[in-house]
Protein backbone atom coordinates (compact mmCIF):
# COMPACT_ATOMS: atom_id res chain seq x y z
CA UNK A 1 0.00 0.00 0.00
CA UNK A 2 2.85 2.40 0.85
CA UNK A 3 4.29 1.77 -2.60
CA UNK A 4 1.07 2.54 -4.43
CA UNK A 5 0.58 5.72 -2.39
CA UNK A 6 4.10 6.81 -3.31
CA UNK A 7 3.60 6.10 -7.01
CA UNK A 8 0.18 7.81 -6.91
CA UNK A 9 1.78 10.87 -5.33
CA UNK A 10 4.37 11.00 -8.12
CA UNK A 11 1.61 10.69 -10.72
CA UNK A 12 -0.34 13.55 -9.13
CA UNK A 13 2.75 15.77 -8.90
CA UNK A 14 3.43 15.17 -12.58
CA UNK A 15 -0.23 15.85 -13.38
CA UNK A 16 -0.13 19.12 -11.44
CA UNK A 17 2.89 20.28 -13.48
CA UNK A 18 1.20 19.34 -16.75
CA UNK A 19 -2.01 21.12 -15.63
CA UNK A 20 -0.04 24.30 -14.86
CA UNK A 21 1.33 24.23 -18.42
CA UNK A 22 -2.18 23.74 -19.79
CA UNK A 23 -3.47 26.62 -17.68
CA UNK A 24 -0.75 28.89 -19.11
CA UNK A 25 -1.59 27.74 -22.65
CA UNK A 26 -5.31 28.35 -22.16
CA UNK A 27 -4.56 31.64 -20.43
CA UNK A 28 -2.44 33.08 -23.19
CA UNK A 29 -5.01 32.01 -25.80
CA UNK A 30 -7.81 33.54 -23.70
CA UNK A 31 -9.77 30.30 -23.79
CA UNK A 32 -12.10 29.78 -20.85
CA UNK A 33 -12.09 26.13 -19.77
CA UNK A 34 -14.92 24.55 -17.80
CA UNK A 35 -14.89 20.96 -16.60
CA UNK A 36 -17.88 18.87 -15.56
CA UNK A 37 -17.65 16.06 -13.01
CA UNK A 38 -20.38 13.87 -11.50
CA UNK A 39 -21.67 10.35 -10.89
CA UNK A 40 -22.39 8.32 -13.99
CA UNK A 41 -25.79 9.36 -15.30
CA UNK A 42 -26.17 12.65 -13.40
CA UNK A 43 -26.68 14.46 -16.68
CA UNK A 44 -23.31 15.91 -17.71
CA UNK A 45 -23.84 15.15 -21.39
CA UNK A 46 -27.42 16.47 -21.45
CA UNK A 47 -26.39 19.72 -19.74
CA UNK A 48 -23.35 20.10 -21.98
CA UNK A 49 -25.36 19.43 -25.14
CA UNK A 50 -27.84 22.16 -24.17
CA UNK A 51 -24.99 24.50 -23.19
CA UNK A 52 -23.12 24.06 -26.47
CA UNK A 53 -26.31 24.49 -28.52
CA UNK A 54 -27.27 27.69 -26.70
CA UNK A 55 -23.82 29.29 -26.65
CA UNK A 56 -22.60 28.48 -30.12
CA UNK A 57 -24.42 31.30 -31.92
CA UNK A 58 -22.45 33.83 -29.86
CA UNK A 59 -19.27 32.02 -28.82
CA UNK A 60 -16.81 29.65 -30.40
CA UNK A 61 -17.31 26.57 -28.25
CA UNK A 62 -15.94 23.02 -28.26
CA UNK A 63 -15.87 20.01 -25.96
CA UNK A 64 -13.65 17.09 -25.03
CA UNK A 65 -15.50 14.18 -23.48
CA UNK A 66 -13.98 11.32 -21.50
CA UNK A 67 -15.37 7.80 -21.27
CA UNK A 68 -13.93 4.37 -20.58
CA UNK A 69 -15.57 3.06 -23.74
CA UNK A 70 -17.89 4.08 -26.59
CA UNK A 71 -18.18 7.44 -28.33
CA UNK A 72 -21.89 7.71 -27.44
CA UNK A 73 -21.38 11.03 -25.67
CA UNK A 74 -19.34 12.61 -28.46
CA UNK A 75 -22.05 11.62 -30.92
CA UNK A 76 -24.77 13.12 -28.72
CA UNK A 77 -22.76 16.30 -28.18
CA UNK A 78 -22.05 16.76 -31.89
CA UNK A 79 -25.79 17.14 -32.43
CA UNK A 80 -25.32 20.59 -30.86
CA UNK A 81 -23.29 21.52 -33.94
CA UNK A 82 -20.14 22.22 -31.90
CA UNK A 83 -16.84 20.42 -32.51
CA UNK A 84 -16.38 17.55 -30.05
CA UNK A 85 -13.47 15.22 -29.38
CA UNK A 86 -13.94 11.89 -27.59
CA UNK A 87 -11.17 10.83 -25.20
CA UNK A 88 -11.45 7.08 -24.61
CA UNK A 89 -9.69 6.23 -21.36
CA UNK A 90 -9.86 2.42 -21.51
CA UNK A 91 -9.65 1.26 -17.89
CA UNK A 92 -8.63 4.66 -16.52
CA UNK A 93 -11.32 6.09 -14.26
CA UNK A 94 -10.68 9.82 -14.83
CA UNK A 95 -9.26 12.35 -17.28
CA UNK A 96 -5.78 13.67 -16.57
CA UNK A 97 -3.91 16.74 -17.82
CA UNK A 98 -1.81 14.69 -20.24
CA UNK A 99 -4.93 13.27 -21.95
CA UNK A 100 -6.26 16.82 -22.36
CA UNK A 101 -2.90 18.01 -23.69
CA UNK A 102 -2.80 15.18 -26.22
CA UNK A 103 -6.37 15.89 -27.30
CA UNK A 104 -5.39 19.53 -27.92
CA UNK A 105 -3.01 18.51 -30.70
CA UNK A 106 -4.51 19.72 -33.93
CA UNK A 107 -6.80 22.31 -32.32
CA UNK A 108 -6.04 25.95 -32.97
CA UNK A 109 -6.84 27.55 -29.60
CA UNK A 110 -7.03 30.99 -31.18
CA UNK A 111 -10.29 29.84 -32.81
CA UNK A 112 -11.92 29.06 -29.47
CA UNK A 113 -13.68 31.03 -26.72
CA UNK A 114 -14.87 28.29 -24.41
CA UNK A 115 -13.71 24.69 -24.08
CA UNK A 116 -15.68 22.19 -22.01
CA UNK A 117 -14.14 19.05 -20.52
CA UNK A 118 -16.62 16.34 -19.60
CA UNK A 119 -14.93 13.92 -17.23
CA UNK A 120 -15.60 10.20 -16.80
CA UNK A 121 -18.64 9.62 -14.57
CA UNK A 122 -17.01 9.07 -11.18
CA UNK A 123 -17.31 10.96 -7.89
CA UNK A 124 -13.96 9.83 -6.54
CA UNK A 125 -10.90 9.71 -8.77
CA UNK A 126 -11.41 12.81 -10.99
CA UNK A 127 -11.24 14.97 -7.85
CA UNK A 128 -7.45 14.63 -7.63
CA UNK A 129 -6.61 15.54 -11.23
CA UNK A 130 -6.26 19.20 -12.13
CA UNK A 131 -7.01 19.63 -15.84
CA UNK A 132 -5.97 23.26 -16.09
CA UNK A 133 -9.61 24.38 -16.08
CA UNK A 134 -10.90 27.77 -14.90
CA UNK A 135 -14.06 26.35 -13.41
CA UNK A 136 -14.85 22.89 -12.18
CA UNK A 137 -18.58 22.22 -11.97
CA UNK A 138 -19.80 19.22 -9.98
CA UNK A 139 -23.27 17.95 -10.88
CA UNK A 140 -25.64 16.45 -8.34
CA UNK A 141 -28.85 14.96 -9.73
CA UNK A 142 -32.01 15.13 -7.62
CA UNK A 143 -32.38 11.36 -7.92
CA UNK A 144 -29.09 10.32 -6.36
CA UNK A 145 -29.58 11.33 -2.73
CA UNK A 146 -28.92 14.63 -0.95
CA UNK A 147 -26.04 13.25 1.12
CA UNK A 148 -23.62 12.71 -1.78
CA UNK A 149 -21.47 15.77 -0.89
CA UNK A 150 -20.74 14.29 2.54
CA UNK A 151 -20.08 10.84 1.15
CA UNK A 152 -17.76 12.10 -1.61
CA UNK A 153 -16.31 15.19 0.08
CA UNK A 154 -13.18 15.73 -2.01
CA UNK A 155 -14.92 16.17 -5.33
CA UNK A 156 -17.43 18.61 -3.84
CA UNK A 157 -14.83 20.57 -1.90
CA UNK A 158 -12.54 20.94 -4.95
CA UNK A 159 -15.36 22.13 -7.24
CA UNK A 160 -15.96 25.82 -7.97
CA UNK A 161 -19.70 25.43 -8.26
CA UNK A 162 -22.43 22.82 -8.07
CA UNK A 163 -25.21 22.23 -10.59
CA UNK A 164 -28.25 20.38 -9.24
CA UNK A 165 -29.69 18.56 -12.27
CA UNK A 166 -32.95 16.84 -13.31
CA UNK A 167 -35.02 19.35 -11.36
CA UNK A 168 -38.11 18.12 -13.25
CA UNK A 169 -37.79 14.81 -11.33
CA UNK A 170 -37.42 16.50 -7.93
CA UNK A 171 -40.96 15.87 -6.77
CA UNK A 172 -41.13 12.29 -8.04
CA UNK A 173 -37.78 11.54 -6.39
CA UNK A 174 -38.73 13.26 -3.13
CA UNK A 175 -35.70 15.55 -3.41
CA UNK A 176 -35.15 17.86 -0.41
CA UNK A 177 -33.23 20.97 -1.47
CA UNK A 178 -32.60 22.18 2.10
CA UNK A 179 -31.02 18.83 2.93
CA UNK A 180 -28.77 19.03 -0.15
CA UNK A 181 -27.75 22.59 0.75
CA UNK A 182 -26.90 21.39 4.26
CA UNK A 183 -24.76 18.55 2.89
CA UNK A 184 -22.95 20.95 0.54
CA UNK A 185 -22.32 23.46 3.33
CA UNK A 186 -20.89 20.70 5.51
CA UNK A 187 -18.06 20.08 3.02
CA UNK A 188 -17.84 23.42 1.20
CA UNK A 189 -19.62 26.26 2.99
CA UNK A 190 -21.25 28.76 0.63
CA UNK A 191 -20.56 26.81 -2.56
CA UNK A 192 -22.35 28.49 -5.46
CA UNK A 193 -25.30 26.35 -6.61
CA UNK A 194 -27.36 26.31 -9.82
CA UNK A 195 -30.56 24.30 -10.11
CA UNK A 196 -31.45 23.21 -13.62
CA UNK A 197 -33.64 20.98 -15.73
CA UNK A 198 -32.52 20.45 -19.30
CA UNK A 199 -35.98 19.04 -20.07
CA UNK A 200 -37.93 22.10 -18.95
CA UNK A 201 -35.18 24.70 -19.39
CA UNK A 202 -35.45 25.80 -15.76
CA UNK A 203 -32.28 27.43 -14.45
CA UNK A 204 -30.46 27.19 -17.80
CA UNK A 205 -30.31 30.99 -18.38
CA UNK A 206 -28.64 31.53 -14.98
CA UNK A 207 -26.12 28.78 -15.74
CA UNK A 208 -25.32 30.31 -19.14
CA UNK A 209 -24.97 33.78 -17.58
CA UNK A 210 -22.43 32.35 -15.15
CA UNK A 211 -20.40 30.85 -18.00
CA UNK A 212 -20.50 34.09 -19.97
CA UNK A 213 -19.33 36.04 -16.93
CA UNK A 214 -16.45 33.60 -16.44
CA UNK A 215 -15.49 33.96 -20.09
CA UNK A 216 -15.57 37.78 -19.84
CA UNK A 217 -13.41 37.64 -16.70
CA UNK A 218 -10.91 35.36 -18.45
CA UNK A 219 -10.69 37.52 -21.55
CA UNK A 220 -10.20 40.65 -19.45
CA UNK A 221 -7.43 38.90 -17.51
CA UNK A 222 -5.63 37.63 -20.59
CA UNK A 223 -5.84 40.95 -22.52
CA UNK A 224 -5.13 43.73 -20.00
CA UNK A 225 -6.17 47.10 -21.46
CA UNK B 1 2.38 5.26 -16.63
CA UNK B 2 4.18 1.92 -17.08
CA UNK B 3 5.21 2.05 -13.45
CA UNK B 4 1.71 2.65 -12.13
CA UNK B 5 0.34 -0.16 -14.32
CA UNK B 6 2.98 -2.49 -12.92
CA UNK B 7 2.24 -1.53 -9.31
CA UNK B 8 -1.51 -1.78 -9.97
CA UNK B 9 -1.01 -5.28 -11.37
CA UNK B 10 0.88 -6.29 -8.23
CA UNK B 11 -1.91 -4.87 -6.06
CA UNK B 12 -4.54 -6.81 -8.01
CA UNK B 13 -2.56 -10.05 -7.84
CA UNK B 14 -2.26 -9.65 -4.08
CA UNK B 15 -5.98 -8.84 -3.85
CA UNK B 16 -6.86 -11.96 -5.85
CA UNK B 17 -4.87 -14.11 -3.43
CA UNK B 18 -6.55 -12.50 -0.41
CA UNK B 19 -9.98 -12.93 -2.05
CA UNK B 20 -9.29 -16.63 -2.59
CA UNK B 21 -8.55 -17.00 1.12
CA UNK B 22 -11.76 -15.13 1.96
CA UNK B 23 -13.74 -17.37 -0.39
CA UNK B 24 -12.36 -20.46 1.37
CA UNK B 25 -13.21 -18.96 4.78
CA UNK B 26 -16.77 -18.10 3.72
CA UNK B 27 -17.09 -21.50 2.02
CA UNK B 28 -16.14 -23.54 5.04
CA UNK B 29 -18.45 -21.47 7.24
CA UNK B 30 -21.28 -21.89 4.72
CA UNK B 31 -21.82 -18.12 4.59
CA UNK B 32 -23.30 -16.85 1.34
CA UNK B 33 -21.72 -13.52 0.39
CA UNK B 34 -23.39 -11.05 -1.96
CA UNK B 35 -21.78 -7.79 -3.03
CA UNK B 36 -23.53 -4.75 -4.47
CA UNK B 37 -21.86 -2.31 -6.86
CA UNK B 38 -23.26 0.71 -8.70
CA UNK B 39 -22.98 4.44 -9.41
CA UNK B 40 -23.32 6.68 -6.37
CA UNK B 41 -27.02 7.07 -5.64
CA UNK B 42 -28.33 4.14 -7.67
CA UNK B 43 -30.00 2.78 -4.55
CA UNK B 44 -27.65 0.17 -3.07
CA UNK B 45 -28.40 1.18 0.51
CA UNK B 46 -32.17 1.37 -0.01
CA UNK B 47 -32.24 -2.09 -1.62
CA UNK B 48 -29.97 -3.54 1.03
CA UNK B 49 -32.00 -2.04 3.87
CA UNK B 50 -35.16 -3.64 2.47
CA UNK B 51 -33.34 -6.92 1.86
CA UNK B 52 -31.96 -7.13 5.40
CA UNK B 53 -35.33 -6.23 6.93
CA UNK B 54 -37.18 -8.86 4.88
CA UNK B 55 -34.66 -11.68 5.31
CA UNK B 56 -33.76 -11.29 8.95
CA UNK B 57 -36.74 -13.14 10.37
CA UNK B 58 -35.64 -16.29 8.56
CA UNK B 59 -31.89 -15.87 8.07
CA UNK B 60 -28.96 -14.58 10.08
CA UNK B 61 -27.90 -11.63 7.95
CA UNK B 62 -25.28 -8.89 8.27
CA UNK B 63 -23.72 -6.21 6.10
CA UNK B 64 -20.42 -4.42 5.59
CA UNK B 65 -20.76 -1.08 3.86
CA UNK B 66 -17.97 0.91 2.21
CA UNK B 67 -17.84 4.69 1.87
CA UNK B 68 -15.08 7.27 1.52
CA UNK B 69 -16.55 9.21 4.42
CA UNK B 70 -19.49 9.23 6.87
CA UNK B 71 -21.31 6.31 8.44
CA UNK B 72 -24.65 7.47 6.99
CA UNK B 73 -25.22 4.17 5.23
CA UNK B 74 -24.39 2.02 8.25
CA UNK B 75 -26.84 4.05 10.31
CA UNK B 76 -29.57 3.65 7.67
CA UNK B 77 -28.88 -0.07 7.36
CA UNK B 78 -28.97 -0.65 11.12
CA UNK B 79 -32.60 0.46 11.07
CA UNK B 80 -33.28 -2.94 9.49
CA UNK B 81 -32.25 -4.50 12.82
CA UNK B 82 -29.35 -6.42 11.27
CA UNK B 83 -25.73 -6.01 12.41
CA UNK B 84 -23.84 -3.62 10.13
CA UNK B 85 -20.19 -2.61 9.96
CA UNK B 86 -19.06 0.57 8.22
CA UNK B 87 -15.77 0.40 6.31
CA UNK B 88 -14.49 3.94 5.79
CA UNK B 89 -12.08 3.93 2.87
CA UNK B 90 -10.77 7.52 3.08
CA UNK B 91 -9.59 8.39 -0.41
CA UNK B 92 -9.76 4.81 -1.71
CA UNK B 93 -12.43 4.46 -4.39
CA UNK B 94 -13.37 0.81 -3.83
CA UNK B 95 -13.44 -2.00 -1.28
CA UNK B 96 -10.68 -4.59 -1.48
CA UNK B 97 -10.35 -8.08 -0.05
CA UNK B 98 -8.00 -6.92 2.71
CA UNK B 99 -10.56 -4.36 3.97
CA UNK B 100 -13.19 -7.11 4.09
CA UNK B 101 -10.79 -9.46 5.88
CA UNK B 102 -9.99 -6.80 8.47
CA UNK B 103 -13.67 -6.05 8.97
CA UNK B 104 -14.29 -9.75 9.63
CA UNK B 105 -12.14 -9.63 12.77
CA UNK B 106 -14.47 -10.07 15.71
CA UNK B 107 -17.31 -11.62 13.70
CA UNK B 108 -18.13 -15.25 14.34
CA UNK B 109 -18.96 -16.52 10.86
CA UNK B 110 -20.70 -19.57 12.29
CA UNK B 111 -23.47 -17.20 13.45
CA UNK B 112 -24.15 -15.96 9.90
CA UNK B 113 -26.09 -17.18 6.88
CA UNK B 114 -25.78 -14.28 4.47
CA UNK B 115 -23.27 -11.43 4.44
CA UNK B 116 -23.80 -8.42 2.16
CA UNK B 117 -20.96 -6.19 1.01
CA UNK B 118 -22.03 -2.76 -0.21
CA UNK B 119 -19.19 -1.27 -2.22
CA UNK B 120 -18.29 2.42 -2.63
CA UNK B 121 -20.49 4.04 -5.30
CA UNK B 122 -18.30 3.82 -8.38
CA UNK B 123 -18.80 2.09 -11.74
CA UNK B 124 -15.11 1.80 -12.52
CA UNK B 125 -12.63 0.79 -9.85
CA UNK B 126 -14.62 -1.79 -7.82
CA UNK B 127 -14.83 -3.96 -10.97
CA UNK B 128 -11.23 -5.11 -10.60
CA UNK B 129 -11.35 -6.16 -6.94
CA UNK B 130 -12.58 -9.64 -6.11
CA UNK B 131 -13.99 -9.62 -2.55
CA UNK B 132 -14.48 -13.37 -2.26
CA UNK B 133 -18.22 -13.00 -2.86
CA UNK B 134 -20.53 -15.65 -4.31
CA UNK B 135 -22.65 -13.18 -6.21
CA UNK B 136 -21.84 -9.71 -7.45
CA UNK B 137 -24.94 -7.66 -8.21
CA UNK B 138 -24.58 -4.50 -10.26
CA UNK B 139 -27.38 -1.96 -9.86
CA UNK B 140 -28.60 0.27 -12.69
CA UNK B 141 -31.14 2.93 -11.76
CA UNK B 142 -33.76 3.92 -14.31
CA UNK B 143 -32.68 7.56 -13.96
CA UNK B 144 -29.05 7.19 -14.99
CA UNK B 145 -29.34 6.33 -18.68
CA UNK B 146 -29.76 2.99 -20.42
CA UNK B 147 -26.28 3.08 -22.00
CA UNK B 148 -24.31 2.72 -18.77
CA UNK B 149 -23.40 -0.96 -19.40
CA UNK B 150 -21.66 0.01 -22.64
CA UNK B 151 -19.92 2.98 -21.06
CA UNK B 152 -18.72 1.01 -18.02
CA UNK B 153 -18.35 -2.44 -19.59
CA UNK B 154 -16.02 -4.09 -17.06
CA UNK B 155 -18.27 -3.72 -14.04
CA UNK B 156 -21.28 -5.05 -15.95
CA UNK B 157 -19.37 -7.92 -17.54
CA UNK B 158 -17.89 -9.05 -14.20
CA UNK B 159 -21.26 -8.98 -12.38
CA UNK B 160 -23.34 -12.13 -11.86
CA UNK B 161 -26.63 -10.31 -12.13
CA UNK B 162 -28.09 -6.85 -12.64
CA UNK B 163 -30.76 -5.16 -10.56
CA UNK B 164 -32.61 -2.32 -12.31
CA UNK B 165 -33.67 0.02 -9.48
CA UNK B 166 -36.13 2.89 -8.88
CA UNK B 167 -38.69 1.30 -11.19
CA UNK B 168 -41.29 3.70 -9.75
CA UNK B 169 -39.45 6.56 -11.50
CA UNK B 170 -39.25 4.75 -14.87
CA UNK B 171 -42.05 6.67 -16.53
CA UNK B 172 -41.01 10.09 -15.20
CA UNK B 173 -37.43 9.42 -16.31
CA UNK B 174 -38.47 8.10 -19.72
CA UNK B 175 -36.64 4.82 -19.05
CA UNK B 176 -36.60 2.39 -22.00
CA UNK B 177 -36.20 -1.19 -20.75
CA UNK B 178 -35.57 -2.65 -24.21
CA UNK B 179 -32.71 -0.21 -24.70
CA UNK B 180 -31.20 -1.16 -21.32
CA UNK B 181 -31.51 -4.88 -22.18
CA UNK B 182 -29.75 -4.20 -25.48
CA UNK B 183 -26.92 -2.37 -23.72
CA UNK B 184 -26.53 -5.21 -21.19
CA UNK B 185 -26.52 -7.84 -23.93
CA UNK B 186 -23.82 -5.92 -25.77
CA UNK B 187 -21.38 -6.37 -22.88
CA UNK B 188 -22.75 -9.47 -21.14
CA UNK B 189 -25.20 -11.46 -23.27
CA UNK B 190 -28.01 -13.06 -21.26
CA UNK B 191 -27.10 -11.43 -17.92
CA UNK B 192 -29.83 -12.19 -15.37
CA UNK B 193 -31.84 -9.04 -14.63
CA UNK B 194 -34.17 -8.11 -11.76
CA UNK B 195 -36.36 -5.02 -11.92
CA UNK B 196 -37.28 -3.54 -8.55
CA UNK B 197 -38.72 -0.58 -6.72
CA UNK B 198 -38.03 -0.42 -3.01
CA UNK B 199 -40.75 2.24 -2.73
CA UNK B 200 -43.54 0.14 -4.22
CA UNK B 201 -42.10 -3.30 -3.44
CA UNK B 202 -42.23 -4.32 -7.12
CA UNK B 203 -39.77 -7.08 -7.96
CA UNK B 204 -38.55 -7.48 -4.38
CA UNK B 205 -39.97 -11.01 -3.89
CA UNK B 206 -38.15 -12.25 -7.01
CA UNK B 207 -34.90 -10.68 -5.80
CA UNK B 208 -35.27 -12.29 -2.36
CA UNK B 209 -36.06 -15.67 -3.95
CA UNK B 210 -32.85 -15.43 -5.93
CA UNK B 211 -30.83 -14.72 -2.76
CA UNK B 212 -32.47 -17.59 -0.92
CA UNK B 213 -31.71 -19.95 -3.80
CA UNK B 214 -28.08 -18.82 -3.78
CA UNK B 215 -27.89 -19.41 -0.04
CA UNK B 216 -29.40 -22.91 -0.41
CA UNK B 217 -26.90 -23.71 -3.17
CA UNK B 218 -24.01 -22.51 -1.00
CA UNK B 219 -25.11 -24.50 2.03
CA UNK B 220 -25.58 -27.64 -0.05
CA UNK B 221 -22.08 -27.19 -1.51
CA UNK B 222 -20.42 -26.61 1.86
CA UNK B 223 -22.18 -29.50 3.64
CA UNK B 224 -22.23 -32.43 1.20
CA UNK B 225 -24.69 -35.11 2.41
Amino acid sequence: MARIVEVRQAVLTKNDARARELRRTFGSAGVCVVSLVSSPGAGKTALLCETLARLRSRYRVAAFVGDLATDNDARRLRESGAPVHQITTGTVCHLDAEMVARALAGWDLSTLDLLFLENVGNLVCPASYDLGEDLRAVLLSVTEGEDKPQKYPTIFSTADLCVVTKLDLAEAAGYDDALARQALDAVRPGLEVFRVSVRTGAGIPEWLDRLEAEFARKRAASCPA
Side-chain angles (χ1 to χ4, degrees), chain A:
Chain A
M1 202 63 185
R3 194 163 160 229
I4 205 164
V5 167
E6 180 200 317
V7 172
R8 189 163 176 276
Q9 202 47 57
V11 168
L12 289 178
T13 305
K14 197 176 152 194
N15 187 77
D16 284 348
R18 199 79 180 93
R20 276 195 299 274
E21 289 171 24
L22 275 178
R23 193 165 276 117
R24 273 196 298 273
T25 305
F26 293 137
S28 57
V31 178
C32 179
V33 182
V34 179
S35 76
L36 304 180
V37 292
S38 78
S39 301
K44 292 182 296 304
T45 309
L47 178 63
L48 187 47
C49 215
E50 186 69 13
T51 303
L52 293 172
R54 299 251 206 148
L55 289 179
R56 69 183 283 267
S57 61
R58 287 167 299 137
Y59 297 91
R60 298 166 305 168
V61 293
F64 293 172
V65 52
D67 275 301
L68 302 193
T70 81
D71 64 346
N72 292 3
D73 286 0
R75 283 189 283 117
R76 279 173 66 192
L77 291 169
R78 280 186 197 118
E79 288 170 17
S80 69
V84 176
H85 177 76
Q86 178 81 47
I87 302 177
T88 306
T89 64
T91 58
V92 179
C93 51
H94 56 270
L95 290 180
D96 65 28
E98 182 59 33
M99 294 178 199
V100 174
R102 277 202 304 268
L104 279 177
W107 290 71
D108 178 1
L109 284 181
S110 72
T111 65
L112 271 188
D113 296 324
L114 287 126
L115 174 64
F116 294 89
L117 307 175
E118 180 184 336
N119 218 312
V120 176
N122 184 333
L123 279 185
V124 190
C125 319
S128 308
Y129 291 84
D130 184 359
L131 303 178
E133 66 269 67
D134 296 291
L135 272 188
R136 182 188 286 186
V138 61
L139 276 60
L140 172 68
S141 80
V142 298
T143 60
E144 64 188 300
E146 299 85 350
D147 65 346
K148 288 301 160 290
Q150 284 164 295
K151 292 175 69 180
Y152 301 86
T154 310
I155 205 147
F156 284 89
S157 66
T158 57
D160 299 294
L161 55 85
C162 174
V163 185
V164 174
T165 59
K166 307 192 188 185
L167 211 60
D168 53 293
L169 294 178
E171 202 182 319
Y175 169 74
D176 182 336
D177 193 65
L179 216 57
R181 181 71 255 182
Q182 226 169 57
L184 284 167
D185 280 339
V187 299
R188 183 70 186 271
L191 182 66
E192 187 178 13
V193 176
F194 295 84
R195 293 167 185 82
V196 309
S197 163
V198 171
R199 268 196 189 163
T200 67
I204 298 292
E206 293 78 4
W207 160 245
L208 298 176
D209 285 351
R210 178 66 177 87
L211 296 175
E212 294 189 57
E214 187 67 22
F215 171 69
R217 188 200 61 72
K218 182 74 181 269
R219 271 293 152 97
S222 60
C223 316

